[in-house]
Amino acid sequence: MRILELDTGLFPDARTVSAALRQMDPAHRVESIDLADCLRRRSLDDEAWERAIDAILGSDLTITT
């Protein structure tokens, strides 16, 4: 299974969820995209958004932390 973690920095238990996802990594493909800093500074360019959208569309499960 392809799992995508979108790290937005919005949830207080994000570290717990991230740690759990890292334990799943051997059995599943886990990818993480750090959007927290980029969203605060609005520094994500169009190419980075395209990569994020492609990752979302290509994942079986997307988790926002």
Side-chain angles (χ1 to χ4, degrees):
M1 178 183 287
R2 295 175 66 183
I3 301 172
L4 174 64
E5 175 192 12
L6 294 177
D7 180 6
T8 62
L10 297 175
F11 300 100
D13 62 346
R15 288 186 179 174
T16 303
V17 174
S18 291
L21 288 173
R22 296 302 147 247
Q23 291 182 2
M24 295 177 67
D25 205 15
H28 303 284
R29 182 173 169 234
V30 179
E31 180 182 353
S32 182
I33 297 176
D34 184 4
L35 295 178
D37 188 50
C38 294
L39 290 173
R40 279 192 294 275
R41 293 187 294 148
R42 297 183 182 162
S43 63
L44 210 59
D45 61 10
D46 288 342
E47 186 177 315
W49 277 116
E50 288 293 326
R51 285 193 308 270
I53 291 168
D54 288 341
I56 292 167
L57 293 174
S59 69
D60 297 310
L61 176 66
T62 302
I63 298 172
T64 305
T65 61

